[in-house]
Amino acid sequence: MTVAKMSQKCPYCKETINAGATRCKHCHADLSAGSKKKASALANLDNFRTGFLCGILFTLILTVLGYFHFFAGE
Ligand SMILES: [Zn+2]
């Protein structure tokens, strides 16, 4: 019986844990790939939305300032 096949190393604390474990028994880190993937995808969507809204707001402000400048110059 090989111990190496029955265990894996925690990517966070490098301690040996059972293979297929979803939670590290040493540092209690979540090791389930599914939930981690979902969380990062949601974060990416949030970043995209924030950047998109900031871009629209910035363009709007520049447009308003541009009009003000144009009419003030007349
Ligand atoms: Zn750990």
Side-chain angles (χ1 to χ4, degrees), residues 12 14-15 19 24 35-36 38 40 44 49-50 54 62:
Y12 301 101
K14 308 296 179 191
E15 290 286 345
C24 175
S35 64
K36 196 182 170 188
K38 198 177 174 186
S40 74
N44 281 344
R49 205 184 302 163
T50 306
C54 280
L62 272 185

Side-chain angles (χ1 to χ4, degrees), residues 10-15 17 24-29 31:
C10 171
Y12 301 101
C13 66
K14 308 296 179 191
E15 290 286 345
I17 52 173
C24 175
K25 63 181 176 181
H26 300 283
C27 68
H28 304 287
L31 302 173

Side-chain angles (χ1 to χ4, degrees), residues 1-54:
M1 176 175 149
T2 48
V3 184
K5 275 188 179 177
M6 299 290 288
S7 61
Q8 63 182 39
K9 271 192 174 181
C10 171
Y12 301 101
C13 66
K14 308 296 179 191
E15 290 286 345
T16 306
I17 52 173
N18 291 332
T22 53
R23 185 174 288 267
C24 175
K25 63 181 176 181
H26 300 283
C27 68
H28 304 287
D30 188 12
L31 302 173
S32 53
S35 64
K36 196 182 170 188
K37 215 173 191 178
K38 198 177 174 186
S40 74
L42 272 174
N44 281 344
L45 190 73
D46 264 4
N47 282 344
F48 175 76
R49 205 184 302 163
T50 306
F52 189 70
L53 284 175
C54 280

